[in-house]
Amino acid sequence: MNYLAILDYEHLDNAIFLKSFAEAIAAQNNTRGIILHGDSQYTDRLIQTGMLSDEARLRSIKDLNHRLVSLMADSGVAVVGVNAYQRNIISYNGSALKFDRNFLTKFPAGTHLLLSNLVDDERNQKPIAYNLAGLANNLFNELELDEIFIFSAKEADEIITQPSKPEVFNYDELDENFKDTSLPEDLHDLAVPFRLTTTRSFREIPNLADTILIR
């Protein structure tokens, strides 16, 4: 299975979650994932030291990419960590994104790609932090991935593991309370089908039984 897993703003500042996430990937079989991330509350802490907000965000994302590579390597996960602007993997011309499909699709089976949302802005030749949900939408369509996974904002989301749970939810029909409590705030704008999961359920991928498809 080729998938996209998104690490949202809140989860990226949760050390217990990140360790469980790395262990979950290590437990998977026959998968190849792109793990997409942006920044976290680390950005705010950098701003408090006097750093400008844009500079702090770029620094935060780059540092997180390095830290996540080390974390996953410690759990035995084969991973390549890159920022999307490097080697023009993903670039933005002001109206559309362009992708290096060869790089994004040809990394070895069993190796996961840790990809930040820092894309190359062709207008001024410098990296910018692209909207996480918007980048995920484009990656899913461009690369024809099998699934997108996002992680419930609840540490233990009981609805995911209920035997009687619906297999599919329509996003437009979701209860607002469910959106607020289970869906990460920075991913509410996902415009493609995705699966809501927890790290416990994510361990079982490609078995999708304990995930919820939201479309």
Side-chain angles (χ1 to χ4, degrees):
M1 174 187 285
N2 294 322
Y3 64 75
L4 177 68
I6 310 175
L7 298 178
D8 59 272
Y9 181 88
E10 295 295 336
H11 277 121
L12 279 168
D13 211 49
N14 184 330
I16 295 174
F17 166 84
L18 291 175
K19 186 175 188 300
S20 181
F21 172 79
E23 292 171 349
I25 293 183
Q28 294 174 359
N29 293 306
N30 300 316
T31 65
R32 182 169 61 178
I34 296 177
I35 303 156
L36 179 64
H37 74 91
D39 70 326
S40 72
Q41 294 174 30
Y42 179 44
T43 301
D44 297 327
R45 294 193 287 274
L46 289 174
I47 291 172
Q48 290 169 7
T49 69
M51 194 174 291
L52 296 175
S53 59
D54 287 347
E55 181 183 352
R57 183 169 292 106
L58 295 181
R59 168 74 178 276
S60 172
I61 294 169
K62 291 178 182 179
D63 285 357
L64 280 167
N65 195 269
H66 287 299
R67 288 165 51 195
L68 289 168
V69 167
S70 297
L71 176 69
M72 286 190 276
D74 288 345
S75 294
V77 178
V79 62
V80 175
V82 294
N83 296 293
Y85 72 90
Q86 295 173 308
R87 298 174 50 182
N88 292 320
I89 297 169
I90 305 177
S91 57
Y92 179 63
N93 62 12
S95 59
L97 293 168
K98 293 191 296 185
F99 299 85
D100 182 345
R101 285 179 55 90
N102 187 61
F103 178 87
L104 291 167
T105 59
K106 300 301 182 183
F107 54 100
T111 300
H112 302 273
L113 178 65
L114 178 69
L115 182 69
S116 86
N117 68 333
L118 291 181
V119 307
D120 180 48
D121 187 345
E122 294 180 345
R123 298 167 296 180
N124 49 28
Q125 280 76 56
K126 70 176 186 179
I128 58 170
Y130 199 87
N131 175 271
L132 195 64
L135 183 53
N137 292 335
N138 280 273
L139 277 168
F140 182 75
N141 290 323
E142 179 73 19
L143 304 181
E144 300 175 351
L145 298 166
D146 297 316
E147 302 285 353
I148 289 182
F149 295 97
I150 74 171
F151 295 86
S152 175
K154 294 180 179 179
E155 292 301 312
D157 202 336
E158 295 84 358
I159 191 172
I160 291 176
T161 55
Q162 286 179 357
S164 59
K165 75 177 187 304
E167 294 183 2
V168 181
F169 286 174
N170 292 316
Y171 185 86
D172 292 340
E173 298 174 1
L174 289 179
D175 179 86
E176 288 301 322
N177 182 62
F178 178 82
K179 291 181 183 179
D180 291 340
T181 59
S182 290
L183 303 186
E185 183 177 354
D186 52 343
L187 299 179
H188 282 196
D189 293 333
L190 279 173
V192 293
F194 60 89
R195 288 187 178 272
L196 185 67
T197 188
T198 62
T199 52
R200 182 175 63 177
S201 301
F202 194 58
R203 296 176 64 91
E204 306 302 322
I205 303 304
N207 184 343
L208 302 173
D210 286 336
T211 67
I212 295 176
L213 176 62
I214 300 177
R215 62 186 184 186

